[in-house]
Amino acid sequence: MDMLFESEKQKEATERLLASVRVRTINSEIDAYLNEMLGYAKEIDSILEKNNLGARYLDRVSMIDKVDSVYLDEDLTSIDFRIKEEIEDLLKRINTRIRLVKTNDALVKEIEDSYNVDGSDLDNDLAEANINI
């Protein structure tokens, strides 16, 4: 038992509580990344529609669990370079967020595997950990 805790039960409750808070924080970050990705995809589709090209990226990005990266479609490689650059910049932003989502998702799974956060009762753990808000 550590010197910081009065009992093993208190230590476990504190660890579960901190893990639960960390999982919630990471999940909030993931939600923010997903919203940003959808916004970028919507912006790309708007650009495509303004230039009489078919909208397509919002559908792809909305199925993130099946996508590792999003690329410029073959038919868009020969469009005006300014439009192409703008789309490629947005695609880079989307791909960065895809990597962040996948990394954070793996971190959540690791935390959940290490600590029994699914079966924890936050109120009970808070009382047991002797933490006052």
Side-chain angles (χ1 to χ4, degrees):
M1 180 173 63
D2 291 330
M3 293 176 61
L4 296 174
F5 304 102
E6 295 173 8
S7 67
E8 188 65 29
K9 193 173 178 182
Q10 183 185 36
K11 178 182 175 185
E12 289 172 5
T14 303
E15 289 173 346
R16 271 192 314 273
L17 185 63
L18 293 174
S20 294
V21 169
R22 183 70 179 130
V23 166
R24 286 182 184 189
T25 303
I26 293 169
N27 282 331
S28 294
E29 291 172 5
I30 289 172
D31 289 343
Y33 294 141
L34 292 172
N35 284 330
E36 289 174 1
M37 288 170 37
L38 293 173
Y40 294 143
K42 186 176 177 183
E43 193 173 335
I44 292 171
D45 284 350
S46 293
I47 293 168
L48 292 174
E49 287 174 344
K50 285 178 192 173
N51 290 283
N52 298 319
L53 301 163
R56 55 192 94 165
Y57 285 96
L58 187 58
D59 288 338
R60 281 187 207 154
V61 171
S62 65
M63 298 191 319
I64 185 65
D65 57 327
K66 296 177 176 75
V67 176
D68 284 327
S69 292
V70 182
Y71 300 100
L72 188 68
D73 288 344
E74 189 73 30
D75 66 322
L76 301 177
T77 58
S78 60
I79 61 175
D80 179 83
F81 77 94
R82 289 175 289 252
I83 298 167
K84 183 179 168 185
E85 278 185 355
E86 189 174 358
I87 292 172
E88 286 177 330
D89 177 60
L90 292 167
L91 289 173
K92 286 178 187 175
R93 292 174 188 216
I94 290 171
N95 288 330
T96 297
R97 279 143 186 88
I98 289 172
R99 286 189 298 278
L100 288 169
V101 166
K102 291 186 183 283
T103 300
N104 281 333
D105 193 44
L107 182 57
V108 166
K109 287 181 176 121
E110 182 181 321
I111 292 170
E112 288 175 342
D113 289 345
S114 299
Y115 303 95
N116 185 18
V117 294
D118 287 338
S120 69
D121 177 6
L122 288 180
D123 291 333
N124 202 18
D125 283 346
L126 192 58
E128 183 64 43
N130 200 22
I131 297 174
N132 295 320
I133 297 177

